[in-house]
Amino acid sequence: MNSSQSRIVFIALAIILFAWITAPLLFSTRPQEPSLSQTRLSFDASAAHSLIRDIVTQFPNRTLGSLESRQSTGYIHDYLEKLGYSFTYTHFDARIARRRQVGRNILAFKQGQSTEILALIAHLDTARTTTQGAMDNGSGVGVLLELARVFAAGPTRRSLLLIFSDGEEWGMLGARDLADNYPDRGRIAAVLSLDHVGIGDLERFCLGETGQSKGFTSPWLRELARQAAESQGLPAQSSSGFSEFLQRAFYISWADQGPFLSKGIPAINLGSESRDKAREREIYHSKFDTIENLKPASIGTYGRAAERIVRSLDEMSTIPQNTPDAFRFWGTRYIGSGVMTFLQIISFAPLVLVFAFFLTNHAAGLNLAGIGREFLAFLGTAIPLWVIYPLIALARALRLIPIYTLYPATLKDPILDSPRWGVLGGILGTAFFVAIVLFIIARFSFRSLPKPEFHTSKTVLLALLLAAAILSLFYNPYWASLFFILPAWTWATVGNWRAGNRLFDRFLLIAAGLPYFILVGIYASKLYLGWNLIWYQAIALSNGFFSNAAYFLATAMIALGIRFIVIQSQEKKTS
């Protein structure tokens, strides 16, 4: 590009950055102030602590499909039956490391003055590495049982549905089954998930607002839950800014609110965090997660916050429909989905401009042979990456990779701590062999084609990059913005000025993958995996945890990055 064209591109970049900075100031709004219930709270912390103790000590191994899990539902049934609740059970099939398990949800119902339903849910199951599972999630179960006593004492405006779900550790399977199949799910006005009370003294509440594969909690419910929680004297952590951007890019839910949000039902999870974060991280999904770590005072704080949320929801004259698209930048400032989509689309304008300029400037030099050569080179780079996907499917068919219904093994599970490096080595080795074969074929077949020319190659790659960006925007604008904007800007502009240092140019091209590198580190830590994250990703791909579209778009982007690095050696630097 010439200097005037480069100036136009960088002006466009400046305008986009200015738009991202000013849009929250010009277009953000605050949701209507929620009306919190002023009814006197009745939650009994000592009673809840006693209930938690009974559950986790009498039935310490409540894994999905286990005998103790079934026995614990009998305890819950007997307790709630005395309070006047009616009962139903639902069952669902699950595959856990190739074993077929039957999960069981227990549902308790209390008729209210209207047909609308408020659902309260806590998962009963534990991870296989846990003994008692007091924090995760005996605490939520005990709190829900005590809330059942609180609300049985008087009439409620709306009907109450208390759900003790199974299979939460493996992808919210019980909640997912209910969101899909519960006959009266159309009457559910809102859902409160309870997971979990932190150990010792609490530092803050944590609100879970992400849907499973899609959906997000509406601003009105987010603000109501936040203010109800903070009324107990602790701050409430809620998604905003980059953290919310990240969650909307993946839509991975960590608690039972997720499946309901994916079906458009207003839902939120109430969690909490201990002041002793290191100890809490240590006992999570371990044999040390026992009742001795829970303090009645913390259970009381958590339980009263949950009661305040439920009473506030019950006393609302009308519960709004779920409107998940408003994005929270900070505090109580939200911006509409239309503005966000506009920002995400215009962020790719520099790529469009660079492609248009390259096409205009070098149209005369373009020919089918040169275009075909670069396109085949791209395919030769992408196919070894794409072939990994069917190889993983083959390993699954050969019983070399464990099978799960949805989410891979729970955190700290031995299957994750003992990766099958031989299987992974075979998959990656085969992909590498395919790459070598394609390289050899290309060396001989390309002899009849003209030598590669930088501007032709870059024009073709810019066209492919633009096509991938458009497809990614259709797939998920947040995912596209997170992973594609920096490559779109960097790969399009590097080489358009005299850098004078090809090594530096290549460094910039690689640095465009910085968001991915950072996220790998974040999730490796969050999932307690380190380098075992590679094995986790293989299991996730095998079981459909990651979508086909995301995989093929991401690997196409990697292939494009490799090709951009390669063609830099073709550019003739001029002064």
Side-chain angles (χ1 to χ4, degrees):
M1 296 190 304
N2 58 42
S3 58
S4 62
Q5 290 172 340
S6 297
R7 193 176 302 112
I8 291 172
V9 172
F10 287 110
I11 289 173
L13 284 170
I15 291 172
I16 291 167
L17 292 173
F18 181 76
W20 276 101
I21 294 170
T22 58
L25 301 174
L26 298 175
F27 300 105
S28 63
T29 59
R30 288 187 173 91
Q32 185 176 354
E33 191 78 10
S35 179
L36 295 184
S37 170
Q38 300 303 312
T39 302
R40 183 178 178 181
L41 302 179
S42 306
F43 188 88
D44 188 329
S46 296
H49 186 268
S50 179
L51 289 165
I52 297 169
R53 180 181 294 277
D54 286 348
I55 288 286
V56 303
T57 56
Q58 293 183 41
F59 317 103
N61 299 306
R62 304 179 304 281
T63 54
L64 173 65
S66 68
L67 176 61
E68 287 191 14
S69 176
R70 294 298 177 91
Q71 291 172 335
S72 67
T73 62
Y75 174 94
I76 293 169
H77 182 285
D78 293 343
Y79 177 84
L80 293 180
E81 188 174 47
K82 297 175 184 177
L83 298 175
Y85 288 85
S86 59
F87 293 89
T88 55
Y89 294 89
T90 64
H91 299 85
F92 58 91
D93 289 337
R95 294 290 295 276
I96 306 299
R98 295 195 178 276
R99 291 181 177 271
R100 179 179 178 270
Q101 303 287 3
V102 178
R104 183 192 221 186
N105 298 320
I106 179 170
L107 285 65
F109 186 79
K110 175 182 180 291
Q111 183 64 52
Q113 297 170 2
S114 78
T115 58
E116 278 191 323
I117 297 173
L118 293 180
L120 285 69
I121 184 170
H123 74 90
L124 189 61
D125 63 308
T126 60
R128 294 189 293 188
T129 51
T130 297
T131 301
Q132 293 194 9
M135 176 179 68
D136 184 26
N137 183 40
S139 59
V141 172
V143 168
L144 183 51
L145 288 172
E146 170 57 13
L147 288 173
R149 181 199 64 80
V150 168
F151 288 105
T156 55
R157 170 179 288 187
R158 293 176 172 86
S159 300
L160 294 181
L161 178 65
L162 311 184
I163 304 169
F164 299 85
S165 65
D166 203 356
E168 188 270 355
E169 297 288 354
W170 307 97
M172 299 89 233
L173 299 180
R176 190 177 184 220
D177 180 70
L178 290 171
D180 288 338
N181 302 312
Y182 181 61
D184 292 323
R185 62 188 180 278
R187 293 168 49 200
I188 298 177
V191 179
L192 174 63
S193 169
L194 303 171
D195 181 20
H196 60 270
V197 181
I199 64 170
D201 295 317
L202 299 184
E203 181 174 84
R204 59 186 176 183
F205 292 103
C206 301
L207 301 179
E209 303 149 328
T210 309
Q212 191 176 73
S213 300
K214 62 179 180 178
F216 218 83
T217 305
S218 297
W220 69 266
L221 182 52
R222 297 170 72 174
E223 293 306 311
L224 184 149
R226 182 182 61 81
Q227 292 191 26
E230 290 179 347
S231 70
Q232 299 308 306
L234 290 178
Q237 176 182 292
S238 179
S239 304
S240 65
F242 180 73
S243 67
E244 181 161 337
F245 210 100
L246 186 61
Q247 291 183 43
R248 288 177 182 266
F250 292 100
Y251 286 109
I252 299 174
S253 61
W254 300 94
D256 276 335
Q257 87 286 344
F260 294 100
L261 286 170
S262 71
K263 296 299 180 181
I265 299 171
I268 196 165
N269 181 72
L270 180 66
S272 61
E273 190 175 86
S274 170
R275 290 182 183 174
D276 190 349
K277 297 182 184 64
R279 174 62 177 163
E280 186 171 70
R281 184 177 173 86
E282 178 186 352
I283 72 169
Y284 177 70
H285 279 198
S286 79
K287 64 181 180 179
F288 304 111
D289 184 8
T290 59
I291 186 64
E292 289 75 21
N293 294 300
L294 299 181
K295 292 183 67 172
S298 296
I299 294 169
T301 301
Y302 180 96
R304 287 188 294 273
E307 182 184 351
R308 181 79 73 191
I309 293 171
V310 177
R311 289 196 182 279
S312 299
L313 288 169
D314 187 51
E315 293 173 12
M316 292 176 67
S317 57
T318 303
I319 293 182
Q321 294 293 313
N322 203 46
T323 52
D325 295 329
F327 180 91
R328 180 173 176 243
F329 267 92
W330 67 78
T332 59
R333 306 296 301 189
Y334 293 82
I335 192 167
S337 61
V339 176
M340 285 299 297
T341 302
F342 175 76
L343 290 173
Q344 289 159 342
I345 291 174
I346 66 166
S347 294
F348 290 94
L351 172 59
V352 176
L353 289 171
V354 172
F355 173 65
F357 290 145
F358 259 79
L359 199 60
T360 301
N361 297 342
H362 308 290
L366 297 177
N367 57 75
L368 288 177
I371 293 171
R373 181 188 181 105
E374 183 54 46
F375 183 73
L376 289 174
F378 162 74
L379 286 180
T381 308
I383 287 174
L385 298 173
W386 288 343
V387 81
I388 290 174
Y389 194 88
L391 288 173
I392 289 175
L394 177 62
R396 172 188 167 106
L398 295 175
R399 307 177 69 85
L400 299 175
I401 292 179
I403 295 176
Y404 299 91
T405 298
L406 184 60
Y407 283 22
T410 58
L411 308 188
K412 297 187 179 180
D413 193 286
I415 286 178
L416 299 181
D417 290 335
S418 303
R420 297 179 182 177
W421 293 114
V423 175
L424 291 175
I427 292 171
L428 296 177
T430 303
F432 184 68
F433 175 76
V434 171
I436 292 175
V437 170
L438 291 174
F439 176 77
I440 294 172
I441 293 173
R443 291 285 292 182
F444 286 96
S445 61
F446 281 9
R447 286 181 176 180
S448 60
L449 296 176
K451 290 185 178 181
E453 194 275 327
F454 172 75
H455 294 107
T456 297
S457 294
K458 185 158 186 177
T459 302
V460 173
L461 291 178
L462 286 172
L464 292 171
L465 179 59
L466 182 58
I470 292 170
L471 290 174
S472 69
L473 283 168
F474 277 106
Y475 170 70
N476 181 339
Y478 289 93
W479 188 85
S481 302
L482 184 65
F483 291 118
F484 277 53
I485 285 180
L486 192 56
W489 291 1
T490 305
W491 296 348
T493 55
V494 164
N496 294 333
W497 63 88
R498 187 186 177 196
N501 189 327
R502 298 187 182 210
L503 183 63
F504 180 71
D505 284 354
R506 292 191 178 96
F507 170 78
L508 289 179
L509 292 169
I510 295 172
L514 191 61
Y516 173 74
F517 305 143
I518 292 173
L519 287 176
V520 166
I522 290 173
Y523 278 102
S525 174
K526 186 178 179 68
L527 299 175
Y528 303 81
L529 289 174
W531 286 105
N532 292 354
L533 182 67
I534 300 171
W535 175 237
Y536 183 91
Q537 289 178 318
I539 300 175
L541 280 169
S542 171
N543 292 282
F545 182 60
F546 298 139
S547 70
N548 300 347
Y551 178 78
F552 285 103
L553 281 170
T555 48
M557 205 66 174
I558 294 171
L560 285 169
I562 293 171
R563 287 304 306 162
F564 271 109
I565 292 172
V566 170
I567 68 168
Q568 280 304 117
S569 61
Q570 302 169 13
E571 184 185 13
K572 295 179 179 180
K573 295 290 182 179
T574 58
S575 57

